[in-house]
DNA sequence: CGTAACTTTGATTTACGTCAACTCGCGTGG
DNA sequence: CCACGCGAGTTGACGTAAATCAAAGTTACG
C-alpha cells in the first residue's frame, strides 16, 4: 500500500541554460539574503548554481547527505517527507523567494525531506561551505534564517494541533485560505480565484488524508455555496465564509 | 466539547525555598549552558530565578508575552498547545536538564504553548534580556540552542507524518519506546519497567487521540503479550517486540 | 488522437470518537 | 474511623468520518 510517490521521481534535468544574472535578481535579494553586504553578495553570486526543473522533478532526496541550500527563483517547490513504508506527506510549499534546506544544512544532517518542483521552477543552489562562511561573516543573515526556522516550527506545531482536532473540511478550508496568499487573485466580478499548482493528491498529502476525500469535501463545499470549482481553479465568492469554516 | 484542560491551571506556587546553588548544578551546566565561560556562568547564576512547582502547576501560559526561558532542574514539564475551542495537544515533554521557551523567546513572540509541571518540578527561569546578552557574547551557546531547535523541529515533522499514517497502536508503541529513554529502568528478572508521570489523558494528548482509546489499546497490547500493566507502570518484557509495532 | 494521469462518484468497511455506566483508590472532613 | 466526593481508569454500546475498494469519466499532452 501507500501511494505511488515514485510517480514524481523522474528526470532531474539540469540545464544551466538561461541562468539569470544574480546582480539583478530582486526575488532572491529579498528575504534572508537581503542581509548581505555588497561584497558578500558578490561571493554569493559567484558560488550560486542556477538550475531549472520541470514539473514533478526531484530537487533533493530525503536521506541523501545535505550538500547545501536552495532558493526558489521561480515556480513552487514542495517538501515531501516519506516513512519506510511508502507513506508520505507534504510538509510545506516553498514559494518563489524562499530558501529551503536550511535546517538540515545547519545541523549537518541528511536531508530530512525531499524537495520536488510542483511546476516548472528555477532554483538557485548554494553549497554548504559557502553558506557557512556567509553565516560566520554575517550575524544578521544568521538571525534571519533562525527566525525563518522558528516560523516553520510554529507552523508545524499548528499542523499537529489541527490534525489532531479538526475534521478534513476545516483543515481544507484553512489550506485554501493559506493558498490564497500565494496563488489567489481577485476576480473583477466578485470573489477570489485560487489556482495552486496542486493535484487533489497533493492537497491530500498536505492534509494527511486521501484524494477521494479531498474531491468529496471540495464538492460538498461547492454544494454549500462556499466555493465554485472550475477545473483546477477554485473560486471563492466570499473569503469570510471560507474562514468561518475553520479557526472560530 | 473539548477536554477540561483547566483542571490543571492552579496554584503556581512560587517559593524561593531550597534554591540549589547554581555553582554545583551539574544538570543545568550540561546541554546548552555548558558552552558558557566561567565569567558568563557567574552572570547566569546571578540572574537565574529558581522556582518549585507542584504537579499540575502552570509555568507559563500560551499567549502571554514571552519573558524568558526555563530550564528544568528536576521533574518533568509538558508543553501544551491549545486552540480557540478548548482543544489541546501535548507537543513534547521536557525532561530535567533541558531548556524550553527558547524559540518564542528568540523570535520575541508570545508563548506559543503553555508549560505545565507533570510532577513536582524545580525550574530555573532566565530573563529574556539576560539570555540575549549571553547569546550575543557566546557564539557557541547560540549554535547549541539552534541545534536544539532543529531537533525539536525534526521531531514535529516526524509527528505530522506519523499522525497522518500510523494507527493509534503504532503511535502508542512509538511513544512508549521514547518514554523508555527517560522513564524506563531495567527490571532484574526480565524486561523493562516504564513509569512516566503521565495519566491516560496525557498520553492521549501526546498522540492526538482519546483517553478511552489509550486504555483500550494498552489492554489490547497486554492481551497480545507485548506489555504488562501494573498500575501506572508499564512492563515491557521484550523491547524488540514493542519496536516491531512501529517503524518497520 | 490515444494513452496515461488525474478526477469523480458510489458502495462498503473500519478505526476511532462519543456517551455513559461503573470501579477503584485516595484524601478530606465530619 | 468511616462517609463522601473526586479524579483516574476501565468497559460496553453505538455512531460516524473517513479509509478502502472499485469503476467511470475527464483532461492533458506526447
Amino acid at each position: 500500500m501507500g501511494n505511488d510517490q515514485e510517480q514524481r521521481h523522474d528526470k532531474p534535468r539540469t540545464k544551466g541554460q538561461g541562468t539569470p544574472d544574480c546582480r539583478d535578481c530582486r526575488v532572491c535579494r529579498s528575504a534572508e539574503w537581503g542581509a548581505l553586504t555588497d561584497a558578500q553578495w558578490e561571493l554569493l553570486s559567484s558560488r550560486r548554481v542556477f538550475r531549472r526543473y520541470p514539473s514533478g522533478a526531484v530537487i533533493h532526496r530525503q536521506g541523501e547527505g545535505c550538500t547545501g541550500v536552495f532558493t526558489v527563483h521561480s515556480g513552487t517547490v514542495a517538501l515531501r517527507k516519506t516513512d519506510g513504508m511508502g507513506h508520505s506527506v507534504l510538509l510545506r510549499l516553498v514559494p518563489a523567494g524562499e530558501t529551503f534546506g536550511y535546517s538540515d544544512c545547519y545541523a549537518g544532517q541528511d536531508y530530512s525531506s525531499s524537495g520536488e518542483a510542483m511546476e516548472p521552477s528555477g532554483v538557485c543552489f548554494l553549497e554548504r561551505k559557502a553558506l557557512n562562511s556567509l553565516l560566520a561573516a554575517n550575524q544578521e543573515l544568521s538571525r534571519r534564517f533562525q527566525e525563518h526556522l522558528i516560523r516553520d516550527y510554529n507552523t508545524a506545531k499548528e499542523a499537529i494541533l489541527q490534525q489532531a482536532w479538526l475534521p478534513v473540511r476545516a483543515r481544507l478550508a484553512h489550506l485554501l485560505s493559506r493558498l490564497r496568499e500565494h496563488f489567489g487573485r481577485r476576480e473583477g466580478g466578485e470573489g477570489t480565484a485560487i489556482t495552486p499548482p496542486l493535484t487533489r493528491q497533493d492537497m491530500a498529502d498536505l492534509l494527511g488524508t486521501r484524494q477521494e476525500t479531498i474531491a468529496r469535501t471540495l464538492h460538498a463545499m461547492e454544494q454549500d455555496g462556499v466555493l465554485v470549482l472550475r477545473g483546477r481553479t477554485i473560486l471563492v465568492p466570499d473569503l469570510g465564509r471560507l474562514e468561518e469554516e475553520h479557526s472560530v
Side-chain angles (χ1 to χ4, degrees), chain A:
Chain A
M1 283 95 266
N3 55 340
D4 40 357
Q5 83 283 22
E6 282 299 325
Q7 75 204 24
R8 284 229 145 83
H9 294 178
D10 43 274
K11 39 193 159 130
R13 198 194 303 164
T14 310
K15 21 162 123 180
Q17 156 253 59
T19 299
D21 188 348
C22 279
R23 202 174 310 266
D24 319 319
C25 180
R26 290 278 139 244
V27 66
C28 294
R29 194 133 201 179
S30 64
E32 287 85 9
W33 305 117
L36 297 181
T37 65
D38 285 349
Q40 288 163 350
W41 184 259
E42 283 307 317
L43 173 63
L44 177 71
S45 298
S46 68
R47 301 293 215 86
R48 246 180 214 286
V49 180
F50 183 81
R51 292 188 188 122
R52 290 193 173 284
Y53 296 87
S55 184
V58 172
I59 296 165
H60 70 261
R61 222 172 273 273
Q62 175 178 343
E64 285 177 343
C66 175
T67 52
V69 296
F70 301 87
T71 301
V72 181
H73 177 267
S74 61
T76 307
V77 170
L79 300 182
R80 177 186 301 279
K81 187 160 184 67
T82 306
D83 68 11
M85 306 153 85
H87 304 145
S88 75
V89 290
L90 292 188
L91 293 171
R92 80 179 176 106
L93 297 180
V94 189
E98 280 194 39
T99 298
F100 62 96
Y102 172 74
S103 73
D104 297 334
C105 199
Y106 188 88
Q109 64 201 6
D110 292 344
Y111 286 115
S112 58
S113 60
S114 299
E116 56 186 68
M118 300 311 277
E119 47 187 341
S121 303
V123 177
C124 281
F125 171 76
L126 182 67
E127 235 187 334
R128 189 159 172 241
K129 217 165 179 176
L131 174 68
N132 283 148
S133 63
L134 286 172
L135 287 172
N138 190 317
Q139 199 59 33
E140 170 68 7
L141 181 70
S142 184
R143 216 207 77 236
R144 292 197 191 186
F145 270 116
Q146 189 162 178
E147 288 191 343
H148 191 160
L149 177 58
I150 291 172
R151 279 198 303 281
D152 290 344
Y153 181 38
N154 285 333
T155 306
K157 290 188 286 187
E158 281 291 343
I160 290 172
L161 183 55
Q162 291 207 348
Q163 201 142 324
W165 287 104
L166 297 187
V168 168
R169 179 160 170 159
R171 282 184 276 151
L172 180 55
H174 183 86
L175 175 64
L176 292 178
S177 292
R178 284 189 297 113
L179 289 175
R180 186 195 53 78
E181 294 163 21
H182 279 290
F183 305 106
R185 103 206 77 74
R186 285 212 54 78
E187 289 290 282
E190 185 65 36
T192 306
I194 308 172
T195 311
L198 300 175
T199 64
R200 300 285 125 111
Q201 179 65 63
D202 292 328
M203 296 190 214
D205 288 348
L206 277 162
L207 299 184
T209 182
R210 299 323 194 88
Q211 54 187 335
E212 297 97 318
T213 303
I214 296 289
R216 276 190 253 267
T217 308
L218 238 22
H219 287 282
M221 291 171 90
E222 187 170 35
Q223 287 304 311
D224 298 348
V226 180
L227 46 79
V228 180
L229 298 173
R230 273 218 217 114
R232 194 164 286 192
T233 109
I234 294 162
L235 241 159
V236 182
D238 178 6
L239 287 174
R241 192 79 183 287
L242 183 65
E243 273 155 35
E244 277 169 31
E245 298 265 339
H246 55 274
S247 78
V248 177

